[in-house]
Amino acid sequence: MMAKEKKKVPNLRFKGFTDDWEQRKFFDNIEKVIDFRGRTPKKLGMEWSAEGYTALSALNVKDGYIDFTADVHYANQDLYDKWMVGNDLYKGQVLFTTEAPMGNVAQVPDNRKYVLSQRTIAFNVDKTKVTNDFLAVLLRSQNVQHTLKSLASGGTAQGVSQKSLSQLKVIVPINPKEQQKIGYFFKQLDSLIALHQRKLDLLNQLKNGFLQKMFADKDSKRPILRFEGFTGNWEIRQLKELGEIITGNTPKTSQVENYSSNGIPWVTPTDINSVYTTDSAKRLSTVGKDKAKIAPANSLLVTCIASIGKNTLILQESAFNQQINALIPVKNDPFFLLAESAKWSRIMRNLAGQTSMQIINKKTFSGISTSIPDLKEQKIIGSLFKKLDNTIAFQQQRISRVNEIKKSLLQQMFI
């Protein structure tokens, strides 16, 4: 007796849909691919303009939305006509990045005209087979993304061609109403993520604006923007005058007794990826701690080799490796110093760029000059940036949570 064929259905579906999904070649759903691979204004004998029609490239086509602040270029009417040759994009049309990065999917956001630029293609769908909204989600589903990576060519900058896409097979619902429900659901989810992302972008812009205006340089000795009641000059100090500076080290990783799952955090440059470092990939045992350099809570850690100028404030006692210098503040506010350390980072990277070996040693780091106010003003400024950083971190967590929900749903609602 023949085994019963397994039904082609996802684990999670909208109520009322029970039919099998259907496997097709990807291009069976597509009437036309708009692909201007390699086209540039220079090759057309023209140049970008200061304003006009926005160009959509692999740098501003993000996963689920268009970033109109990234790699912005404009085409005037003549360049648009010569470039697009009648292939006007339309609202909802699916865009796909073929490389650098490969596999980002977004939809044309409105009915304005756009130029289809570097490493981005657009699909004219067969409306009897698939909807644009469903196609946009299908291309981001786990199985399709995994298949695209297996079809991709190239080394570090992987890419897919139309020839590669011709080998892609997809499984889709036959019922157009099911496609519409799935497409609409994920479109709403993308809108929520984009809204949170815009809020995060605005918060980061606000923080950068404050960083530019609320810190004095050594020439002016006064910031542009200050809290009421503060009028005095800021003073020039070297970092070594702000507290104790120590360079980290690494207990031998080959000795198991140096490490423990519940010991003191041991911070490396890869652990410095957020405003405050509260955890790390590894921890040191009591034995390892005795061999390590330790910084107390509320110390600043700054990377000084290779990835120079990454900085964080540790919220608990931590050990750290030799690629990091620690500044342990004495009679200075750590949250103020963390905000101001963005300025040190720029100085460090400029100094490192003048040498063949990318390193800022302890002596050079200690001698970097900066401007600081009295402790009272430091605390008020530090408190502002602490609140800003916490708000930014919370917003980042919200985006991460929604993206995790989306990832889970993509796994369960597609085959």
Side-chain angles (χ1 to χ4, degrees), residues 83-135:
W83 188 303
M84 296 300 290
V85 288
N87 291 285
D88 293 344
L89 303 181
Y90 59 88
K91 183 179 180 179
Q93 189 170 13
V94 177
L95 305 168
F96 177 82
T97 61
T98 56
E99 61 179 303
M102 185 272 289
N104 277 358
V105 182
Q107 291 176 265
V108 178
D110 49 48
N111 286 316
R112 290 184 294 170
K113 292 183 177 180
Y114 293 94
V115 169
L116 194 62
S117 189
Q118 292 293 311
R119 307 182 303 282
T120 300
I121 61 178
F123 300 111
N124 285 346
V125 300
D126 181 341
K127 294 180 181 179
T128 66
K129 298 284 187 69
V130 71
T131 68
N132 276 296
D133 289 349
F134 179 80
L135 178 65

Side-chain angles (χ1 to χ4, degrees), residues 173-191:
I174 300 171
N175 191 329
K177 289 185 178 180
E178 186 171 11
Q179 289 190 25
Q180 289 166 6
K181 275 189 171 291
I182 294 171
Y184 179 76
F185 173 77
F186 279 96
K187 198 167 189 175
Q188 296 301 107
L189 200 54
D190 282 338
S191 295

Side-chain angles (χ1 to χ4, degrees), residues 323-358:
Q323 293 176 284
I324 298 170
N325 280 327
L327 171 58
I328 305 168
V330 175
K331 296 183 179 179
N332 286 285
D333 183 71
F335 294 98
F336 170 85
L337 295 181
L338 176 64
E340 195 183 45
S341 67
K343 184 166 63 176
W344 314 344
S345 297
R346 290 192 297 272
I347 295 171
M348 291 169 67
R349 285 191 285 268
N350 287 336
L351 290 171
Q354 299 169 14
T355 64
S356 56
M357 186 175 181
Q358 296 290 294

Side-chain angles (χ1 to χ4, degrees), residues 122-163:
F123 300 111
N124 285 346
V125 300
D126 181 341
K127 294 180 181 179
T128 66
K129 298 284 187 69
V130 71
T131 68
N132 276 296
D133 289 349
F134 179 80
L135 178 65
V137 187
L138 176 67
L139 284 169
R140 283 181 283 158
S141 64
Q142 185 182 45
N143 285 344
V144 170
Q145 284 284 317
H146 179 75
T147 304
L148 286 170
K149 288 177 182 177
S150 69
L151 294 172
S153 60
T156 54
Q158 289 195 324
V160 290
S161 62
Q162 288 195 49
K163 183 178 179 181

Side-chain angles (χ1 to χ4, degrees), residues 61-274:
V61 174
K62 304 298 185 182
D63 189 22
Y65 70 101
I66 307 295
D67 184 353
F68 288 103
T69 66
D71 191 49
V72 182
H73 294 288
Y74 301 100
N76 61 21
Q77 188 67 55
D78 288 341
L79 178 56
Y80 176 86
D81 292 339
K82 200 169 182 180
W83 188 303
M84 296 300 290
V85 288
N87 291 285
D88 293 344
L89 303 181
Y90 59 88
K91 183 179 180 179
Q93 189 170 13
V94 177
L95 305 168
F96 177 82
T97 61
T98 56
E99 61 179 303
M102 185 272 289
N104 277 358
V105 182
Q107 291 176 265
V108 178
D110 49 48
N111 286 316
R112 290 184 294 170
K113 292 183 177 180
Y114 293 94
V115 169
L116 194 62
S117 189
Q118 292 293 311
R119 307 182 303 282
T120 300
I121 61 178
F123 300 111
N124 285 346
V125 300
D126 181 341
K127 294 180 181 179
T128 66
K129 298 284 187 69
V130 71
T131 68
N132 276 296
D133 289 349
F134 179 80
L135 178 65
V137 187
L138 176 67
L139 284 169
R140 283 181 283 158
S141 64
Q142 185 182 45
N143 285 344
V144 170
Q145 284 284 317
H146 179 75
T147 304
L148 286 170
K149 288 177 182 177
S150 69
L151 294 172
S153 60
T156 54
Q158 289 195 324
V160 290
S161 62
Q162 288 195 49
K163 183 178 179 181
S164 299
L165 287 173
S166 69
Q167 301 174 56
L168 176 64
K169 293 181 180 180
V170 294
I171 303 176
V172 302
I174 300 171
N175 191 329
K177 289 185 178 180
E178 186 171 11
Q179 289 190 25
Q180 289 166 6
K181 275 189 171 291
I182 294 171
Y184 179 76
F185 173 77
F186 279 96
K187 198 167 189 175
Q188 296 301 107
L189 200 54
D190 282 338
S191 295
L192 177 62
I193 293 170
L195 176 64
H196 286 320
Q197 185 62 50
R198 284 194 293 272
K199 288 181 179 179
L200 178 60
D201 292 342
L202 288 171
L203 284 167
N204 280 315
Q205 289 173 22
L206 179 65
K207 179 181 176 180
N208 287 334
F210 282 153
L211 284 172
Q212 291 174 13
K213 294 183 178 181
M214 295 188 70
F215 290 86
D217 57 41
K218 60 184 179 181
D219 296 321
S220 66
K221 296 185 179 180
R222 295 185 183 187
I224 298 170
L225 183 65
R226 300 182 85 169
F227 284 99
E228 188 176 358
F230 296 100
T231 57
N233 286 344
W234 288 26
E235 297 182 349
I236 305 298
R237 292 284 185 269
Q238 291 184 329
L239 296 188
K240 63 186 177 184
E241 298 178 81
L242 305 181
E244 181 186 1
I245 295 174
I246 55 177
T247 302
N249 68 340
T250 300
K252 291 183 179 179
T253 54
S254 60
Q255 296 180 0
V256 177
E257 67 270 17
N258 288 335
Y259 298 89
S260 169
S261 59
N262 58 359
I264 184 174
W266 182 58
V267 181
T268 68
T270 56
D271 299 310
I272 300 178
N273 54 15
S274 61

